[in-house]
Amino acid sequence: MKFGFALLRLSLTGPGKAPAEVNFARGLNVIAGPSDSGKSFIAQCLDYALGSGAAPKEIPEAEGYSSIVIDIEANGDGRVYSLERSLRGGEVLCKTDGQPDRVLAAKHHQGKEDTVSQFLLDLSGLGTKKIRTNEQGKTRPLSFRDIARLVIIDEETIIKEDSPVLSGQFTSKTIESGVFRLLLTGTDDSSLIAKEDPKVAKGRQAGKVELLDGLLKATRERLAELGVVSTLAEEQDRLTRIEASIQAALFERSAAQAIVVPLQTKRSAAWTALTAAESKFVVLSELRTRFDLLGQQYESDLRRLEAIAEAGARLDQLKEERCPMCGALAEYQHHEHRKAGPAPADVSQACRAEAAKTWKLLQDLQTTRAANAAEVERLQAVRDTRQTEFDAIASALKGLMERHVDVASKKVDELRAYAETCRKMIEHLERIQELEALLEDANKLKKKQKTEVAGAAVSAAQADPFSREVEALLRAWHFPDLDRVSFSENDQDVVISGRARKSHGKGVRAITRAAFNLALLRLCIEDERPFPNFVLIDSPLLVYEEPDASESSFPHDIKKHFWESVKSSFVDAQVIIIENSHQLPGDGTLDGVRVELFTGNEQGRMGFIPT
């Protein structure tokens, strides 16, 4: 057996308190005793140590005890683990030889590895399984608590009329049916692709309607700003007519432009002549300015030369005198120059010669200036004439343009503006139609579509092998008037000989509930399917202890066959039966079975907790 685990020992400990222990073996284990001997307390402690959120009920005998320790042996590799949990809550301490201690969260957390739930699921071969949580196919990882209620059946649960599969909580019905289907078929719901949550879809639809309303309102406001609007078809027809008018206006404008072409050509020629005259006039005017400057330079040179020549002549007429500083004659004076300078008369003569040349140049310049001035005057007259001609042609062209071309162009521009406005109207009208269609579609209440996800409930066909296991067990127990056992899809429970299990009294419901859970264990063992492979059942033979009025005649030989069958059918697995000691067979049927017997008195072990 490669899946599951077996319970080896349960111990209740506390400071200064003698441990309350009970040991288990593979196969059938029986815990028997009178009422208030702590039998059901054992089931509560086991469930709590395996991650239940409910602590064991407070009983006076347990005062001073603080922790629960259970030892379990993995079926896969035989490793023994010790799980310890405080009665006051908190996490679970996991110990095993050769490995460091681990703290496992008592509460299952999706996606978290270090939880007691994930630890037990891994031992059971169910660690990666997912189950469906709603009709839309949403899934979540399996929790060991989903399995625990099918392997630990306490004295209150065993007599309930509800299906052993279901807890009676409507919100968890899909999950619980999914878990049962997983155990029967070995197939989980991890392949399901969830449909969208109806609440999310409704919220998104409301948001879509709100968005479309806003867009529609804004588009209508922009359309109203364009003026009076007709229907879309009328606006499209109007645009067609406007475009035809634009073509006609363009033809008229082309004809008007043809009329002014000759005058435009004439204006272009006049402009060319005007610019040529203007250019020459500007060049010669600039040249005249430069001639004036050159003439002024010549006249300045002449005045300077005449002044030098006059000074030379005057100096040459003066006598030689002594030095006014030292009184020496000229021949005794010391001069720094190596050569003597020219005589003043020579300088005067040279200046007069240079002045004669400059005067000649000035005369030539005067002649050129006179000729240039005459040409400038002529070009000015020509330029004025050309300007007058150009202005006259331009004026005539402007008048012609205003009378023909401008009128035609204005008509074209106006028609194009109308067309643009019409196009915007059509664009807005088309947008409004599109938004109205989308809004109508969004406002339609979507018909609830039948989910394409397979039903969550276990079908009769899926449960047929299981039904046959239940039938085989009940037949081995010699269940009275047994015919066929089938599975009700509506009740998710077995129907025994055509009668729903829940319709029986609580005693028969208890023993058939035991058959239900033991059949599930046997099916998983035979098919080697992932499962914890242990079952604890509290008070399966209640029909003999507290029978309903209709159960007083329930055959007593069933009790004997029950013990024989359970003893022989689950040798490799582990079944723990908690029962009143009155229901134990006294004929040696339980020989070889581990039986923990509480007496409730000083004769033997009084109860689970030492006193």
Side-chain angles (χ1 to χ4, degrees), residues 561-580:
H561 298 302
F562 168 82
W563 290 117
E564 289 176 347
S565 171
V566 176
K567 176 183 175 182
S568 61
S569 300
F570 301 96
V571 176
D572 294 332
Q574 188 176 54
V575 175
I576 302 171
I577 301 295
I578 297 175
E579 191 51 87
N580 195 295

Side-chain angles (χ1 to χ4, degrees), residues 169-463:
Q169 299 294 324
F170 177 78
T171 54
S172 58
K173 187 176 180 180
T174 300
I175 296 174
E176 291 160 353
S177 292
V179 171
F180 188 51
R181 186 178 59 256
L182 164 64
L183 297 177
L184 293 183
T185 64
T187 303
D188 69 349
D189 296 321
S190 58
S191 61
L192 288 179
I193 299 175
K195 294 177 67 176
E196 187 177 35
D197 190 318
K199 293 181 180 178
V200 175
K202 186 176 180 181
R204 192 183 67 253
Q205 184 180 8
K208 184 178 180 180
V209 170
E210 184 178 355
L211 175 62
L212 290 173
D213 274 335
L215 292 174
L216 193 56
K217 181 181 178 182
T219 306
R220 283 172 175 162
E221 289 175 352
R222 287 196 292 272
L223 180 62
E225 293 173 355
L226 297 177
V228 179
V229 181
S230 302
T231 64
L232 176 60
E234 290 173 344
E235 291 299 332
Q236 289 172 334
D237 182 63
R238 188 160 75 99
L239 178 60
T240 302
R241 294 197 304 272
I242 292 174
E243 288 176 342
S245 299
I246 290 174
Q247 293 301 319
L250 287 172
F251 179 78
E252 292 175 3
R253 189 178 67 177
S254 298
Q257 289 172 338
I259 293 174
V260 301
V261 167
L263 204 53
Q264 285 178 328
T265 303
K266 191 175 180 180
R267 185 186 66 171
S268 177
W271 174 254
T272 302
L274 173 61
T275 54
E278 181 72 20
S279 177
K280 289 181 180 179
F281 174 75
V282 170
V283 171
L284 292 181
S285 296
E286 179 64 22
L287 190 58
R288 182 174 60 183
T289 302
R290 293 180 180 275
F291 285 161
D292 291 343
L293 292 175
L294 183 58
Q296 293 173 4
Q297 183 62 44
Y298 282 161
E299 291 172 352
S300 174
D301 291 345
L302 285 173
R303 288 192 296 273
R304 179 174 50 81
L305 291 171
E306 287 176 357
I308 295 171
E310 181 65 22
R314 295 295 181 184
L315 289 173
D316 190 56
Q317 292 174 358
L318 294 177
K319 293 180 179 180
E320 191 176 79
E321 295 291 344
R322 291 180 181 272
C323 175
M325 300 298 295
C326 64
L329 295 174
E331 62 266 26
Y332 299 108
Q333 296 176 6
H334 298 284
H335 301 280
E336 297 296 331
H337 304 292
R338 292 181 179 178
K339 294 181 179 180
D346 296 337
V347 174
S348 177
Q349 185 178 358
C351 288
R352 293 185 187 283
E354 184 64 21
K357 294 179 182 177
T358 302
W359 178 252
K360 177 62 175 163
L361 291 173
L362 180 59
Q363 286 181 328
D364 292 342
L365 179 62
Q366 295 294 348
T367 302
T368 302
R369 291 173 65 187
N372 185 69
E375 184 63 15
V376 168
E377 185 176 359
R378 186 187 71 80
L379 288 174
Q380 185 173 7
V382 171
R383 186 196 63 178
D384 293 342
T385 301
R386 297 287 183 267
Q387 183 66 53
T388 302
E389 292 173 353
F390 176 80
D391 292 343
I393 295 170
S395 177
L397 180 60
K398 181 180 178 182
L400 196 60
M401 291 283 287
E402 289 176 349
R403 291 192 302 275
H404 299 281
V405 179
D406 290 353
V407 171
S409 297
K410 183 178 179 181
K411 184 177 181 180
V412 170
D413 293 342
E414 289 176 349
L415 288 172
R416 282 176 171 170
Y418 294 152
E420 182 61 23
T421 302
C422 192
R423 288 191 188 95
K424 288 182 179 178
M425 290 179 175
I426 292 172
E427 179 183 347
H428 290 325
L429 288 169
E430 289 176 341
R431 180 64 173 162
I432 289 171
Q433 279 191 352
E434 181 182 358
L435 291 173
E436 287 176 342
L438 291 173
L439 185 60
E440 182 181 359
D441 184 61
N443 279 323
K444 287 181 180 176
L445 292 176
K446 292 186 177 179
K447 295 181 180 179
K448 188 176 181 180
Q449 298 178 351
K450 187 176 180 180
T451 178
E452 297 176 358
V453 182
V458 175
S459 66
Q462 290 172 329

